[in-house]
C-alpha cells in the first residue's frame, strides 16, 4: 500500500523563513531611513539652533490638531515634536548624523521603532495580533513629559497640586493591561485638580533616571517635589487612595459646635481667612482636600459634617441648606461670612475662583516678603498704579483700638488701587527703620507707599500727626488719599526697603525633624519594597560612617596608652647602678623603632670623638643637656620640637646626662667665657648650677657652639634669649638656682626650641668659639633611644 504525501516539501520551510526575515529587514531599514527629522522640519543638516527652533514653531502652529482639521494632523504634529527633540539636543543630533540613532540611551534598532511600527502595520497582521496601538493617542500625548518641562513646570507646580505619573514604554504588555484602569482614573482625578503625566522610558531615559523609575509600567506620585512609588494593585480605588495619602495631614480641620469659634478666631494668629465646608458625607471629600492643598498658604479650611448631631447649632446659626454642599468664607468678622457659594455639583473651578478672590484679609499683617509682593506689587508701565496703605503699630493691648479703627477705615474704602495692611514694628524693625528713620519711640504711624522695583525701591509719604484711630485721623488719611489720586507726585520721599523677616517660618529644630521624618519614610519605603537602586547611596553613606567610626575605635584601641597619658612624676629618685643602666640600655635598644620619631644618641666618652671632635665639616650636633630624673619628659619634648628638622643631613641629635658628666658643661662655658675669671666665681659655684634643658649646637670642625637656654615660667622673654652674655647668664642662673626646681616645669623648658632651631638654620645665632673641646669624663656604653 502506497501512502501519498501532500503539502510542501520540508526543505521549503527554511527557505520561506529566510525570505520572510529578509523582507522584514528590508522593510525595517527602509522605514527607518524614511524618517528624517531634517526633512520633517524642512531644514538642512547644517542648520543652526535658531533656524531649527524657528522651523519647529512654524510647523507646530500649522499642524496643531486643534487648528488643523486634516486627518493626518495628529501624526504629523507628533513627528514634528519628536524631530525637534532630536535636533534641539546636540548629543542626539550627533548620534543621528553619525548612525541614524535618535536617542543616546538606545541602540540603533530600538530607536527606529517607528519604522518597525510602520512595517508591521503594512504587513498582513493587524494591531490586534500584538494588542498594540498603531501610534500613541493624542489624548495621551498631551500628558507626555520631557526633562526640561518636568523641572521647569511640573516640579514647582507639585507644591500646589499632586501629580500622578505613569512610566511606560513601547512593546510593554503590562502597560497595555493597565491602560483601561489608567484612563478611567485620569478621567476621574484630572477634573478634581490632580496633575497627570506620562514618561516614555525609550525617549526620556534621563527623566526616568531622575524619578528613579527603571522599569515599565510604574506609577509615581509627586507632591512637594517628593517622589513616591505606587506598589499596590492597579485599580481605580487604590490609585485614588494613593493620591489622598500623598497629601499632608490636617489640611482640613474637622469642625463641630465645640470648636468652630476657636477656628474662626484663628485669623489673628494665622493671618489667614477661614473657609467652612458643609457637606452630608462624614469624611472630607478629595475635592476639598485638593483645594485646601492648593491654597494652604493663604486660607485655613474646616469641614462640617451636616449629618452629625454635634453640629446643629452651627447649622442653625449660619442657616445652612442641608440639601447641597455649602462654602462660607470668613475674614476679620467671625459673625458674618464675606462670601458664600452653594451648589449640588461643586466643581473645582468654582471653588478655586471663590477662594482666590478672597485669599487675603481685609487688612492683613505683613509677615513675609511673599505676602508683601502680592499685596503691594511692583508698578508696571502697562498697568494701573496700586498704592499700599501701611499701618506701623505694636502688639500690646493698648494698640488694639487704633488697629480696629484702621480696619474699619479700610472696610469703608474698598478701591482697587488701594491695599491696606499693617505691620508690627517689633517684628519688622528693618522695614520700619527704612520708612521712619527719625522716629525712635513706638507710636502708630500710617505710611502710603508705591513700589517701583524688585530691588526694594519705593516712593512713600507718612501721614502727619500719627494714628490713634480718632475721627480726625480718619479724615486726615482720607484727605491725603484723595490728593494722591489726583497727583501721583504727592509721594515725595523715596527709600530702598530691606527684605521682610519671615515671621511664620518654623524654627530650625522643627524643619530638621520634618526633613528627618521624610527621610526615614523614604528609607522605610525603599527597604519594604526592595528598591535597592535608590537605596545604594543611602547604604553607602551609612557604611562609610560606620567604617570611619569603627576605624577610629580600632586605632585608639591598638595605640600605646603611654602616648596619650601624661607621665606621672616619680616620688623619689632612685640611684641607678651600672648594671641597671646597662639593662635599661639593652631593653631600650631592643625596642623596634617607631614611625615619625627622632633618633637621639647619648653623648659619652666613646661617641664623643666621632660625634663632636672629629665631626665632618659642615655638620652640627644638637645636644640636649638633661638629668636622669628629667630624661623621659625632656627627650619626648625635644623630639617633638626638632622633628621638622630631622630630615636635614647635616644635623645630628644627641643628649648629655649631666648627672654623669657634671664637669663638662661648666668647662665648656668657662673656656668660651672671657669674663669668668674677673668675677671670681669658683668652680664649685659653676658646677652646682642646674643646666637641665640647655641645648647646644656644636660644630666640631670649626670649634664653636650656639646655646639655647630653657624657658623660665613667669619670667620675661629675655630669660630665654641666646644672645645675652655669659656673665649675665651666670648671674641669673646663680640667683635663681635655688628656685629652679619649683619655677620651671619640665614640659615647658623647651617651648621655644623650635624658633631657636629656625634661627640656627638661618645662621643668625651668635657663635661662641672655644680653643679646644673639654675632655668628657665617664666610660659607659653607647645608648641610642627612640623618642
Amino acid at each position: 500500500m502506497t501512502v501519498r504525501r501532500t503539502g510542501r516539501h520540508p526543505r521549503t520551510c527554511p527557505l520561506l523563513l529566510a525570505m520572510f526575515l529578509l523582507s522584514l529587514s528590508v522593510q525595517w531599514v527602509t522605514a527607518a531611513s524614511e524618517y528624517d527629522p531634517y526633512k520633517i522640519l524642512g531644514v538642512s543638516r547644517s542648520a543652526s539652533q535658531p533656524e531649527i527652533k524657528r522651523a519647529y514653531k512654524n510647523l507646530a502652529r500649522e499642524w496643531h490638531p486643534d487648528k488643523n482639521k486634516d486627518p493626518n494632523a495628529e501624526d504629523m504634529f507628533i513627528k514634528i515634536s519628536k524631530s525637534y527633540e532630536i535636533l534641539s539636543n546636540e548629543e542626539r543630533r550627533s548620534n543621528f548624523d553619525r548612525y541614524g540613532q535618535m536617542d543616546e540611551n538606545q541602540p540603533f534598532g530600538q530607536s527606529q521603532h517607528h519604522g518597525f511600527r510602520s512595517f508591521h502595520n503594512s504587513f498582513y497582521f493587524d494591531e490586534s495580533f500584538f494588542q498594540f496601538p498603531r501610534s500613541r493617542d493624542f489624548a495621551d500625548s498631551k500628558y507626555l513629559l520631557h526633562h526640561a518641562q518636568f523641572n521647569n513646570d511640573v516640579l514647582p507646580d507639585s507644591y500646589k497640586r499632586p501629580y500622578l505619573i505613569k512610566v511606560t514604554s513601547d512593546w510593554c504588555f503590562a502597560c497595555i493591561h493597565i491602560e483601561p484602569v489608567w484612563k478611567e482614573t485620569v478621567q476621574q482625578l484630572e477634573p478634581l485638580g490632580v496633575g497627570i503625566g506620562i514618561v516614555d522610558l525609550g525617549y526620556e531615559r534621563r527623566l526616568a533616571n531622575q524619578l528613579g523609575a527603571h522599569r515599565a509600567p510604574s506609577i509615581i506620585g509627586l507632591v512637594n517635589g517628593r517622589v513616591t512609588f505606587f506598589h499596590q494593585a492597579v485599580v481605580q480605588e487604590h490609585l485614588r487612595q494613593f493620591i489622598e495619602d500623598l497629601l499632608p495631614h490636617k489640611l482640613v480641620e474637622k469642625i463641630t459646635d465645640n470648636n468652630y469659634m476657636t477656628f474662626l478666631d484663628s485669623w489673628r494668629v494665622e493671618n489667614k481667612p477661614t473657609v467652612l465646608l458643609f457637606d452630608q458625607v462624614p469624611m472630607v471629600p478629595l475635592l476639598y482636600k485638593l483645594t485646601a492643598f492648593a491654597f494652604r498658604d493663604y486660607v485655613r479650611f474646616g469641614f462640617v459634617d451636616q449629618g452629625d448631631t454635634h453640629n446643629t447649632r452651627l447649622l442653625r446659626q449660619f442657616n445652612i441648606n442641608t440639601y447641597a454642599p455649602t462654602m462660607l468664607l470668613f475674614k476679620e468678622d467671625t459673625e458674618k461670612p464675606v462670601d458664600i457659594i452653594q451648589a449640588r455639583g461643586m466643581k473645582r473651578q468654582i471653588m478655586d475662583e471663590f477662594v482666590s478672590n478672597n485669599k487675603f484679609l481685609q487688612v492683613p499683617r505683613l509677615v513675609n516678603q511673599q505676602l508683601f509682593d502680592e499685596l503691594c506689587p511692583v508698578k508696571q508701565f502697562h498697568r494701573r498704579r496700586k498704592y499700599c496703605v501701611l499701618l506701623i503699630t505694636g502688639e500690646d493691648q493698648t494698640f488694639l483700638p487704633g488697629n480696629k479703627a484702621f480696619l474699619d477705615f479700610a472696610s469703608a474704602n474698598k478701591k482697587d488701587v488701594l491695599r491696606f495692611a499693617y505691620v508690627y514694628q517689633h517684628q519688622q524693625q528693618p522695614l520700619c527703620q527704612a520708612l521712619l528713620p527719625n522716629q525712635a519711640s513706638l507710636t502708630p504711624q500710617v505710611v502710603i507707599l508705591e513700589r517701583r522695583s524688585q530691588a526694594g525701591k519705593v516712593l512713600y509719604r507718612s501721614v502727619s500727626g500719627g494714628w490713634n484711630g480718632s475721627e480726625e485721623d480718619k479724615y486726615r488719611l482720607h484727605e491725603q488719599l484723595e490728593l494722591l489720586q489726583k497727583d501721583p507726585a504727592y509721594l515725595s520721599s523715596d527709600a530702598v526697603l530691606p527684605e521682610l523677616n519671615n515671621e511664620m517660618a518654623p524654627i530650625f529644630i522643627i524643619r530638621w525633624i520634618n526633613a528627618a521624618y521624610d527621610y526615614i519614610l523614604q528609607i522605610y519605603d525603599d527597604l519594604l519594597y526592595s528598591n535597592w537602586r535608590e537605596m545604594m547611596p543611602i547604604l553607602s553613606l551609612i557604611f562609610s560612617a560606620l567604617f570611619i567610626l569603627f576605624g577610629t575605635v580600632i586605632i585608639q584601641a591598638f595605640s600605646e596608652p603611654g602616648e596619650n597619658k601624661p607621665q606621672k612624676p616619680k616620688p623619689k629618685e632612685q640611684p641607678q647602678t651600672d648594671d641597671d643602666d646597662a639593662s635599661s640600655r639593652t631593653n631600650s635598644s631592643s625596642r623596634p623603632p617607631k614611625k615619625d620619631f627622632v633618633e637621639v644618641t647619648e653623648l659619652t666618652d666613646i661617641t664623643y670623638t666621632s660625634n663632636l671632635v672629629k665631626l665632618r665639616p659642615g655638620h652640627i650636633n644638637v645636644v640636649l643637656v638633661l638629668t636622669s630624673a628629667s630624661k623621659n619628659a625632656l627627650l619626648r619634648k625635644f623630639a617633638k620640637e626638632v622633628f621638622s628638622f630631622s630630615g636635614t643631613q647635616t644635623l645630628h641629635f644627641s643628649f648629655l646626662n649631666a648627672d654623669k658628666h657634671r664637669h663638662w658643661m661648666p668647662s665648656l662655658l668657662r673656656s668660651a667665657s672671657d669674663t669668668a675669671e674677673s668675677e671670681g666665681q669658683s668652680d664649685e659655684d659653676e658646677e652646682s648650677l642646674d643646666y637641665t634643658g640647655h641645648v647646644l649646637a656644636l660644630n666640631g670642625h670649626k670649634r664653636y657652639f650656639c646655646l639655647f637656654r630653657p624657658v623660665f615660667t613667669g619670667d620675661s622673654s629675655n630669660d630665654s634669649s641666646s644672645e645675652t652674655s655669659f656673665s649675665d647668664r651666670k648671674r641669673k642662673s646663680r640667683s635663681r638656682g635655688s628656685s629652679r626646681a619649683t619655677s620651671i616645669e619640665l614640659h615647658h623648658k623647651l617651648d621655644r626650641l623650635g624658633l631657636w632651631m629656625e634661627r640656627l638654620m638661618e645662621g643668625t645665632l651668635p657663635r661662641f668659639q672655644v680653643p679646644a673641646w673639654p675632655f668628657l669624663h665617664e666610660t659607659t656604653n653607647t645608648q641610642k633611644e627612640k623618642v
Side-chain angles (χ1 to χ4, degrees):
M1 182 176 178
T2 304
V3 179
R4 194 180 186 90
R5 296 183 179 180
T6 60
R8 293 187 180 91
H9 194 276
R11 294 182 179 178
T12 61
C13 292
L15 180 61
L16 291 176
L17 180 60
M19 293 177 62
F20 171 77
L21 294 177
L22 179 61
S23 62
L24 176 65
S25 61
V26 171
Q27 295 249 7
W28 194 348
V29 174
T30 304
S33 61
E34 289 177 356
Y35 183 82
D36 188 350
Y38 292 100
K39 291 182 180 179
I40 293 176
L41 294 182
V43 296
S44 63
R45 289 185 173 269
S46 59
S48 61
Q49 288 295 334
E51 294 174 350
I52 294 174
K53 188 174 183 179
R54 193 181 308 113
Y56 164 71
K57 287 185 176 181
N58 295 333
L59 291 174
R61 192 181 302 111
E62 177 184 354
W63 288 96
H64 197 281
D66 294 342
K67 298 181 180 179
N68 196 322
K69 302 305 180 181
D70 193 308
N72 299 323
E74 180 180 325
D75 293 336
M76 188 62 185
F77 183 78
I78 294 175
K79 290 181 179 180
I80 292 170
S81 300
K82 295 299 181 183
S83 300
Y84 180 69
E85 286 182 31
I86 298 170
L87 300 184
S88 61
N89 187 295
E90 292 297 338
E91 188 172 357
R92 292 184 180 182
R93 182 178 180 181
S94 176
N95 289 340
F96 181 83
D97 293 340
R98 294 179 181 178
Y99 318 111
Q101 188 175 347
M102 293 184 293
D103 197 319
E104 66 272 13
N105 297 317
Q106 291 179 309
F108 173 75
Q110 291 181 357
S111 66
Q112 308 299 336
H113 57 273
H114 284 290
F116 181 77
R117 196 180 291 170
S118 301
F119 158 71
H120 86 74
N121 285 340
S122 63
F123 208 57
Y124 65 88
F125 49 81
D126 60 7
E127 65 180 3
S128 62
F129 186 84
F130 282 126
Q131 295 296 323
F132 277 90
R134 285 190 178 92
S135 61
R136 192 180 303 279
D137 295 338
F138 183 72
D140 287 344
S141 64
K142 70 177 182 179
Y143 300 123
L144 285 175
L145 299 179
H146 309 295
H147 184 265
Q149 175 195 1
F150 175 81
N151 289 282
N152 296 333
D153 301 331
V154 176
L155 202 59
D157 195 43
S158 67
Y159 291 87
K160 297 180 181 178
R161 61 171 176 165
Y163 273 81
L164 191 65
I165 301 173
K166 181 183 70 171
V167 180
T168 183
S169 65
D170 295 321
W171 309 104
C172 171
F173 289 93
C175 300
I176 302 301
H177 180 71
I178 68 172
E179 190 67 23
V181 179
W182 172 260
K183 287 186 177 180
E184 292 178 3
T185 306
V186 169
Q187 292 175 0
Q188 183 187 49
L189 295 181
E190 190 176 20
L192 302 181
V194 178
I196 306 298
I198 296 177
V199 177
D200 194 323
L201 274 177
Y203 287 99
E204 292 296 334
R205 179 69 63 181
R206 185 180 176 188
L207 176 56
N209 291 335
Q210 179 179 347
L211 294 174
H214 306 286
R215 63 176 182 271
S218 296
I219 296 180
I220 298 173
L222 180 68
V223 173
N224 290 333
R226 184 172 178 266
V227 174
T228 306
F229 280 83
F230 176 76
H231 297 288
Q232 299 179 355
V234 184
V235 294
Q236 189 172 344
E237 292 77 11
H238 290 171
L239 290 172
R240 183 185 179 95
Q241 187 62 39
F242 174 64
I243 288 295
E244 196 163 349
D245 293 339
L246 291 177
L247 298 174
H249 300 292
K250 298 183 179 179
L251 279 173
V252 182
E253 187 176 346
K254 202 69 177 289
I255 303 300
T256 63
D257 290 343
N258 299 326
N259 64 348
Y260 81 96
M261 284 305 301
T262 304
F263 175 77
L264 295 179
D265 284 335
S266 64
W267 68 268
R268 304 179 188 276
V269 179
E270 298 292 338
N271 196 41
K272 299 175 183 178
T274 53
V275 173
L276 285 180
L277 311 169
F278 294 84
D279 207 339
Q280 287 285 357
V281 293
M283 302 299 295
V284 183
L286 179 60
L287 174 62
Y288 294 164
K289 290 185 178 181
L290 293 172
T291 306
F293 179 73
F295 294 95
R296 66 188 185 280
D297 294 334
Y298 302 96
V299 181
R300 291 194 68 197
F301 288 81
F303 178 75
V304 181
D305 179 13
Q306 297 179 2
D308 192 350
T309 57
H310 298 87
N311 299 326
T312 54
R313 185 179 62 179
L314 189 59
L315 298 175
R316 192 183 312 111
Q317 178 176 349
F318 296 109
N319 194 21
I320 301 300
N321 184 357
T322 59
Y323 297 101
T326 307
M327 292 182 66
L328 304 180
L329 192 142
F330 297 84
K331 292 188 178 181
E332 288 88 349
D333 188 0
T334 59
E335 300 294 332
K336 182 180 179 182
V338 296
D339 203 351
I340 180 173
I341 59 171
Q342 191 174 41
R344 289 186 179 274
M346 193 73 73
K347 302 295 183 182
R348 176 63 190 271
Q349 182 179 0
I350 298 176
M351 297 178 66
D352 288 350
E353 183 178 358
F354 174 75
V355 177
S356 60
N357 292 335
N358 299 279
K359 64 181 183 179
F360 298 117
L361 296 171
Q362 293 284 356
V363 183
R365 177 163 58 95
L366 298 183
V367 294
N368 52 47
Q369 186 66 32
Q370 178 184 357
L371 182 60
F372 186 38
D373 293 338
E374 295 190 41
L375 284 174
C376 306
V378 177
K379 178 186 177 300
Q380 303 292 338
F381 291 103
H382 59 283
R383 293 183 179 180
R384 193 177 179 184
R385 294 175 180 268
K386 288 189 177 182
Y387 302 99
C388 189
V389 184
L390 183 63
L391 171 65
I392 300 177
T393 182
E395 306 176 52
D396 298 338
Q397 296 292 329
T398 56
F399 298 99
L400 289 180
N403 298 346
K404 181 65 169 58
F406 188 75
L407 173 61
D408 296 339
F409 180 86
S411 301
N413 291 271
K414 297 181 179 180
K415 296 182 180 180
D416 293 337
V417 297
L418 297 178
R419 295 290 179 86
F420 292 86
Y422 71 100
V423 64
Y424 287 148
Q425 184 174 7
H426 178 70
Q427 298 288 346
Q428 304 291 344
Q429 290 185 0
L431 173 69
C432 299
Q433 290 175 0
L435 294 176
L436 304 174
N438 299 324
Q439 183 174 343
S441 60
L442 177 58
T443 56
Q445 180 69 47
V446 176
V447 178
I448 307 172
L449 59 89
E450 178 189 11
R451 299 187 65 189
R452 285 303 184 98
S453 70
Q454 292 290 350
K457 183 179 180 180
V458 296
L459 298 178
Y460 73 96
R461 186 186 185 100
S462 59
V463 179
S464 59
W467 178 268
N468 55 21
S470 63
E471 294 297 328
E472 182 181 356
D473 292 341
K474 294 180 181 180
Y475 177 78
R476 191 185 308 112
L477 177 58
H478 184 271
E479 183 181 25
Q480 296 197 16
L481 290 176
E482 291 294 331
L483 292 175
L484 181 62
Q485 296 289 331
K486 298 177 182 178
D487 183 14
Y490 182 72
L491 302 180
S492 55
S493 304
D494 63 337
V496 177
L497 301 183
E499 185 172 351
L500 270 68
N501 301 325
N502 189 358
E503 301 178 21
M504 297 298 179
I507 60 176
F508 171 76
I509 187 65
I510 300 298
R511 287 181 290 174
W512 186 87
I513 291 175
N514 293 335
Y517 176 74
D518 294 339
Y519 199 66
I520 292 173
L521 285 181
Q522 181 182 356
I523 295 176
Y524 172 77
D525 185 70
D526 292 338
L527 287 176
L528 183 63
Y529 297 102
S530 301
N531 196 357
W532 297 110
R533 190 187 295 265
E534 280 74 32
M535 282 296 297
M536 286 306 296
I538 302 174
L539 293 176
S540 176
L541 178 63
I542 294 175
F543 281 111
S544 299
L546 292 176
F547 178 79
I548 295 173
L549 177 63
F550 285 104
T552 305
V553 173
I554 292 173
I555 291 175
Q556 291 181 352
F558 283 92
S559 61
E560 278 199 9
E563 296 178 2
N564 299 325
K565 296 181 180 179
Q567 282 284 350
K568 295 183 178 179
K570 294 183 180 180
K572 186 176 181 181
E573 180 67 22
Q574 298 292 336
Q576 189 176 29
T577 62
D578 295 342
D579 295 338
D580 295 337
D581 191 24
S583 63
S584 64
R585 288 196 300 269
T586 304
N587 294 334
S588 63
S589 61
S590 63
R591 280 192 231 133
K594 297 178 182 177
K595 186 179 179 182
D596 295 343
F597 278 73
V598 181
E599 183 178 292
V600 183
T601 305
E602 183 176 3
L603 199 62
T604 64
D605 61 335
I606 298 177
T607 60
Y608 185 68
T609 302
S610 60
N611 288 353
L612 179 58
V613 179
K614 295 184 178 180
L615 198 63
R616 286 179 293 176
H619 288 240
I620 295 178
N621 195 348
V622 181
V623 180
L624 169 66
V625 181
L626 49 78
T627 60
S628 298
S630 61
K631 179 179 178 180
N632 292 332
L634 286 182
L635 279 178
R636 191 179 300 112
K637 179 69 173 179
F638 179 72
K640 184 184 296 185
E641 293 292 333
V642 303
F643 172 72
S644 59
F645 305 94
S646 60
T648 307
Q649 298 295 328
T650 58
L651 288 182
H652 307 273
F653 301 98
S654 304
F655 70 91
L656 178 71
N657 194 330
D659 292 339
K660 300 178 182 180
H661 312 283
R662 60 189 183 89
H663 301 289
W664 186 83
M665 189 69 178
S667 300
L668 177 67
L669 298 179
R670 188 167 52 251
S671 62
S673 176
D674 296 333
T675 59
E677 295 295 336
S678 61
E679 292 180 2
Q681 189 176 5
S682 65
D683 295 345
E684 288 77 6
D685 293 336
E686 293 181 349
E687 292 176 359
S688 63
L689 298 178
D690 183 11
Y691 294 102
T692 304
H694 287 66
V695 179
L696 301 168
L698 308 175
N699 190 320
H701 181 70
K702 294 187 176 181
R703 296 180 182 176
Y704 72 84
F705 68 91
C706 302
L707 179 64
F708 169 82
R709 298 185 67 255
V711 177
F712 286 78
T713 304
D715 289 345
S716 63
S717 59
N718 295 331
D719 292 334
S720 62
S721 175
S722 61
E723 300 178 8
T724 56
S725 64
F726 275 114
S727 59
D728 294 338
R729 292 193 197 98
K730 291 178 180 180
R731 283 194 299 268
K732 293 174 183 177
S733 299
R734 185 169 57 182
S735 62
R736 298 190 184 101
S738 60
S739 60
R740 281 193 180 179
T742 57
S743 64
I744 306 177
E745 297 183 9
L746 292 178
H747 62 280
H748 289 313
K749 279 178 175 283
L750 304 179
D751 281 349
R752 299 182 183 177
L753 181 59
L755 300 176
W756 183 82
M757 289 294 298
E758 291 181 2
R759 297 187 60 189
L760 174 66
M761 301 303 296
E762 295 171 358
T764 58
L765 290 176
R767 301 176 179 180
F768 305 102
Q769 297 288 336
V770 294
W773 296 111
F775 184 72
L776 188 67
H777 298 280
E778 182 70 13
T779 55
T780 56
N781 295 329
T782 304
Q783 180 184 9
K784 290 188 177 182
E785 294 196 4
K786 295 281 186 171
V787 182

